[in-house]
Amino acid sequence: MTTSKKILIISYYWPPAGGPGVQRWLKFVKYLPEFDIEPHVYVPDNPTYPLLDEKLVSEVSDKAIIIKQPIFEPYGLASVFSKNKTKKISSGIIPNQKKQSFVEKAMIWIRGNVFIPDARVFWVAPSVTFLKKYLKEHQIDTIITTGPPHSLHLIGLQLKKEMNITWLADFRDPWTTIGYHKQLKLSAWAANKHKSLEKEVMNTCDQLIVTSPTTKTEFEAITSKPIAVITNGYDVEKVVKKPLDEKFTLAHIGSFLSARNPRILWKALHELTTTHAAFKAQLELKLIGAVSAEVLQSIQEFGLESYVNHLGYLPHDEAIVAQRSSQVLLLIEIDSEETKCIIPGKLFEYMISERPIIAIGPVQADFAHIIKETNTGTFFTYGELEALKAQIELTFEQFQQNNLMVNPIGLQQYSRKALTEKLAKLLITKH
């Protein structure tokens, strides 16, 4: 009789946290026992999550052993002064620099220069003390840290230095090249500190896991340690089937950040509503999730506010239902060199929704390749206004003819179970 291999996963985001950060390891943990791996999951007991989704608690595998320890987060103190601003900044929504209040400027400066690498850094020392004992008692010799927040990699770093363990560092997003990193008002000293910690983590762990090929290439310039690409993916979910929206709905699910503001899309829609009476009568912009003030202002500037149906944040299961009843799904990524590597987690849920995707992002974006190879939609750069407009018009014609559909190919490789199998092989090889 074989004994399951035990591993310890150190994560900040865990149910009842909402948003994309929680999904990756919630699903890995769900499937790891099928590959004879027993997951122990270490998470904070009293975290400050910007989004909550209580329904996700029921998705936690009953085969997982969950360990919780208290965390001190200065965001809790800051929220006494401005709860809404604190929530936004902690979730990565950084206001436009020209429109930042004094409080926002101070909070962003402190976030970048005092709490290095982030405001969860106070959890590192107590976690190391607790986990050294826990790992010995439960005879666990393999740990995985997942970030952001990248403070969790410092827990792995210290445990690796003090114990005979195998350590895999999972980067859901890059560290110093993530889009918002430059907006943190970093001093030269703070910028160097971030860089040196990043380099030490990457050169001390036994294995790196990243979510995109571009991040792998980027990290190969910093370390010679092995790097595996395991993207995010989709899970097979029982979803209440609703009829498709009667209007021509363009739906965006997830946080619509200021830097992700697609003026090219608003311009295309403005021109189509101005010249195309049927389009004007049928258009609806369905926004699910937090939307920045800058995005809403741009929508207004292009005269599109009357088409907006802003549903706010919805629990994951409700968001999926709303997504699958939409006519078209919008996937928008920031137009910068740093975001080529970002493959949004929602892409994979989009791909199995049987609705066409219209995506806008930087030149050579990794997710453009996935959309093309799976035949799930069309991708445009920020310089392709006329092509984008033509695609929206074509899609609208198919909608009018009741013939708007998509025929995906090769999706199975992105299923959560297939991706967990890839992870399990890595864990067994490293043992």
Side-chain angles (χ1 to χ4, degrees), residues 8 10 135 140-145 155-156 159 165-168:
L8 176 77
I10 302 169
L135 291 167
I140 300 171
D141 61 6
T142 303
I143 67 166
I144 300 173
T145 54
I155 299 173
L159 289 171
I165 54 163
T166 301
W167 169 32
L168 292 81

Side-chain angles (χ1 to χ4, degrees), residues 149-416:
H150 299 302
S151 284
L152 275 66
H153 295 313
L154 303 190
I155 299 173
L157 178 66
Q158 203 54 40
L159 289 171
K160 179 70 182 174
K161 286 177 179 177
E162 297 186 29
M163 301 181 76
N164 181 26
I165 54 163
T166 301
W167 169 32
L168 292 81
D170 173 61
F171 283 81
R172 300 189 315 278
D173 286 323
W175 185 332
T176 59
T177 57
I178 188 89
Y180 61 77
H181 193 74
K182 328 171 151 163
Q183 298 174 49
L184 295 176
K185 307 181 190 298
L186 300 175
S187 66
W189 175 85
N192 286 334
K193 182 72 175 167
H194 278 279
K195 284 268 186 200
S196 67
L197 285 173
E198 175 186 56
K199 190 172 182 181
E200 190 180 5
V201 163
M202 290 185 191
N203 285 294
T204 308
C205 70
D206 298 283
Q207 170 80 50
L208 283 150
I209 304 170
V210 296
T211 57
S212 79
T214 296
T215 303
K216 180 180 179 182
T217 304
E218 230 177 69
F219 284 9
E220 281 170 343
I222 302 172
T223 182
S224 58
K225 290 295 175 90
I227 305 170
V229 177
I230 304 181
T231 64
N232 289 310
Y234 67 86
D235 206 10
V236 179
E237 297 181 86
K238 289 176 185 168
V239 177
V240 178
K241 195 144 174 97
K242 273 178 71 180
L244 288 174
D245 297 335
E246 289 183 14
K247 285 211 155 190
F248 182 60
T249 44
L250 303 181
H252 182 275
I253 290 92
S255 296
F256 220 145
L257 311 180
S258 308
R260 212 176 268 159
N261 186 9
R263 292 182 66 85
I264 177 178
L265 175 63
W266 312 140
K267 186 171 171 58
L269 294 176
H270 168 74
E271 290 179 8
L272 287 167
T273 53
T274 307
T275 58
H276 199 314
F279 185 87
K280 181 178 181 177
Q282 292 288 337
L283 176 65
E284 182 182 305
L285 276 170
K286 193 156 87 171
L287 307 180
I288 298 168
V291 181
S292 78
E294 285 80 9
V295 170
L296 292 172
Q297 281 161 13
S298 291
I299 288 171
Q300 194 169 7
E301 182 190 327
F302 283 95
L304 300 169
E305 66 271 24
S306 62
Y307 304 102
V308 172
N309 178 12
H310 186 197
L311 300 172
Y313 178 77
L314 294 180
H316 180 71
D317 58 342
E318 291 176 37
I320 295 291
V321 172
Q323 174 179 298
R324 294 190 186 186
S325 63
S326 303
Q327 293 292 348
V328 179
L329 300 173
L330 297 171
L331 190 66
I332 316 291
E333 196 40 83
I334 298 166
D335 185 21
S336 75
E337 185 69 20
E338 292 94 347
T339 54
K340 285 192 326 189
C341 66
I342 302 294
I343 303 176
K346 64 175 164 264
L347 167 63
F348 304 98
E349 289 176 351
Y350 276 16
M351 290 187 332
I352 58 158
S353 65
E354 299 177 6
R355 304 313 306 146
I357 300 166
I358 291 180
I360 303 169
V363 176
Q364 295 183 315
D366 283 342
F367 71 88
H369 171 71
I370 295 176
I371 289 171
K372 188 176 179 183
E373 74 165 4
T374 56
N375 195 40
T376 47
T378 46
F379 172 86
F380 302 90
T381 65
Y382 280 78
E384 297 181 284
L385 173 65
E386 292 307 317
L388 172 63
K389 201 166 119 185
Q391 180 61 35
I392 295 171
E393 201 160 13
L394 173 66
T395 307
F396 180 67
E397 285 167 16
Q398 292 169 333
F399 160 77
Q400 285 181 304
Q401 294 156 9
N402 203 24
N403 190 31
L404 182 53
M405 57 185 69
V406 69
N407 298 297
I409 50 174
L411 295 187
Q412 179 53 33
Q413 62 185 308
Y414 297 109
S415 77
R416 295 283 189 185

Side-chain angles (χ1 to χ4, degrees), residues 27-94:
K27 302 301 184 182
F28 281 146
V29 166
K30 174 181 174 180
Y31 290 111
L32 278 170
E34 293 187 30
F35 300 98
D36 207 29
I37 292 170
E38 179 182 283
H40 294 237
V41 186
Y42 177 73
V43 295
D45 188 31
N46 54 325
T48 308
Y49 291 140
L51 295 171
L52 292 175
D53 188 345
E54 298 287 349
K55 291 181 181 175
L56 289 180
V57 175
S58 63
E59 290 195 34
V60 176
S61 168
D62 57 4
K63 294 188 173 72
I65 295 151
I66 313 299
I67 320 120
K68 296 185 177 186
Q69 283 289 295
I71 184 170
F72 166 72
E73 295 180 87
Y75 282 135
L77 296 178
S79 67
V80 172
F81 302 101
S82 179
K83 198 162 191 174
N84 191 38
K85 288 184 172 77
T86 304
K87 262 193 170 185
K88 285 186 173 179
I89 290 168
S90 74
S91 62
I93 299 178
I94 294 178

